[in-house]
Amino acid sequence: MRRKASFMAAIAVVALALAPALAEARRGGGFSSGSRGTRTYQAPPPTTTAPGGATQMQRTQTAPPAATAGAATAGTAAAGAAAARTGMRGGLMGGLLGAGLFGMILGAGLFGGIGGFASILGLLLQVALIGGVIWLVMRMIRGRREATAGGPPNAYARDMQSGGNPRPMMGGAMGAPRGPMAAAAAPEVATAPLQIAEADYQEFERNLHAVNEAWTRQDLEALRRLSTPEMTNYFANDLKDLRARGWTNATSGTRLLAGDLSEAWQENGQHFATVAMRYSIVDVTTDATGKVVEGHPSEPQVVTELLTYTRFPGEAWRLSAIQQTG
């Protein structure tokens, strides 16, 4: 019975270890990855094809807005300070109680009689004085920080609290500066609506087919032409992980079933378009022996994703982000 329980536990451990690997096998790793310019941290508007919207980016090289990063840093610092204060108080009281218990063990009573009680009382008075000084210093520091860190709240946080969603082809995106984060929020980057023509939709569909085919061939040169350097880097790492496991992922028979525009805009002379696509695809992963570990070699599955494409005027559209549906 014990051997059977150990065997079942081992199976559970292996299953848990392989679960992420199975989820990461198909193109894009099943993650929401990439960048959408200054709207990377904004949820794209839902569409008829993807009414549930998209999940947040799990892999992106775009730095978060300064206001958001500053708030997170301030929250972490406050939590650390509170933990430090709690630890100091807990350590002091623990030391006092420990000393009392030690005195009981030696037969001197909880605090060693009258003399011990006087010593403890004097110690408490000293601690109260020191604590008062520390409290005054911390209050002064906190007041200076609040005076320095004042400013308008993050625009995206306000939108989330009010329950509003950005509408398609509207401006008002938030800034996403790169490099070291400043203490104050960076100015918003001006955006403008972008018209998407029928030829653009046809190019999006061709890119969908071409990226899946290049992924199956493990053709990084083709993926570099079809996607941004960031997305190419994710593809390369995902292929490397598959090879490390001795697995091969292949897709075929991509067929677009439905698609519509979520939003399109331009910023700093660069065009962006996020499109919801529902398509069928044969997606199968095999191990070194040819055994199927995920998917089916002939039965298609239906996938819905929000794909963001980007270009500079006069250039071809390239895949900039893949987001899974919510």
Side-chain angles (χ1 to χ4, degrees):
M1 186 68 181
R2 183 177 301 174
R3 181 177 301 177
K4 182 178 180 180
S6 300
F7 179 72
M8 295 302 294
I11 291 178
V13 170
V14 172
L16 289 174
L18 288 179
L22 292 173
E24 297 166 8
R26 68 183 180 88
R27 173 188 64 76
F31 294 108
S32 290
S33 309
S35 297
R36 299 194 328 118
T38 56
R39 302 189 183 187
T40 299
Y41 292 91
Q42 291 183 3
T47 72
T48 302
T49 303
T55 59
Q56 295 181 351
M57 291 295 184
Q58 297 162 299
R59 302 187 297 187
T60 182
Q61 294 178 0
T62 300
T68 302
T73 303
T76 303
R85 290 193 298 269
T86 303
M88 181 179 68
R89 290 194 298 265
L92 176 62
M93 295 307 297
L96 292 174
L97 291 175
L101 292 175
F102 187 69
M104 290 182 63
I105 294 174
L106 295 180
L110 181 61
F111 293 111
I114 300 298
F117 179 76
S119 300
I120 292 297
L121 182 60
L123 176 61
L124 289 175
L125 290 175
Q126 295 179 35
V127 169
L129 290 174
I130 295 174
V133 173
I134 294 176
W135 179 79
L136 289 175
V137 173
M138 293 298 294
R139 186 173 183 180
M140 293 174 60
I141 294 175
R142 189 181 300 113
R144 291 180 179 179
R145 286 181 178 175
E146 291 175 354
T148 304
N154 178 258
Y156 183 49
R158 290 198 300 269
D159 292 341
M160 293 297 291
Q161 292 172 0
S162 62
N165 288 323
R167 302 309 306 161
M169 305 183 66
M170 294 294 289
M174 59 186 178
R178 293 184 178 273
M181 302 306 298
E188 292 184 353
V189 176
T191 65
L194 179 67
Q195 295 295 328
I196 299 298
E198 181 63 28
D200 297 318
Y201 289 113
Q202 295 175 0
E203 189 171 353
F204 298 154
E205 184 176 358
R206 289 195 298 269
N207 185 281
L208 172 67
H209 287 269
V211 167
N212 283 331
E213 293 169 0
W215 165 266
T216 298
R217 299 193 309 267
Q218 302 187 21
D219 188 348
L220 290 179
E221 288 301 323
L223 289 172
R224 288 189 183 96
R225 294 192 303 269
L226 297 166
S227 59
T228 61
E230 178 184 4
M231 289 302 299
T232 303
N233 182 61
Y234 295 142
F235 290 146
N237 289 335
D238 292 341
L239 289 171
K240 181 179 178 181
D241 290 341
L242 286 171
R243 287 193 296 268
R245 298 173 187 137
W247 293 357
T248 301
N249 179 252
T251 61
S252 61
T254 303
R255 185 167 66 93
L256 183 64
L257 303 176
D260 50 8
L261 180 68
S262 173
E263 59 180 347
W265 72 100
Q266 53 186 324
E267 56 184 58
N268 294 330
Q270 188 173 1
H271 296 173
F272 289 90
T274 297
V275 184
M277 291 189 181
R278 182 168 65 248
Y279 58 93
S280 64
I281 186 172
V282 175
D283 186 351
V284 61
T285 303
T286 56
D287 62 15
T289 65
K291 180 181 178 181
V292 175
V293 295
E294 184 186 25
H296 195 278
S298 60
E299 293 182 2
Q301 57 179 283
V302 176
V303 177
T304 303
E305 296 172 329
L306 281 98
L307 307 177
T308 298
Y309 297 93
T310 186
R311 71 176 180 186
F312 287 96
E315 297 182 355
W317 288 101
R318 294 195 296 172
L319 181 64
S320 177
I322 301 175
Q323 286 179 271
Q324 308 305 316
T325 54

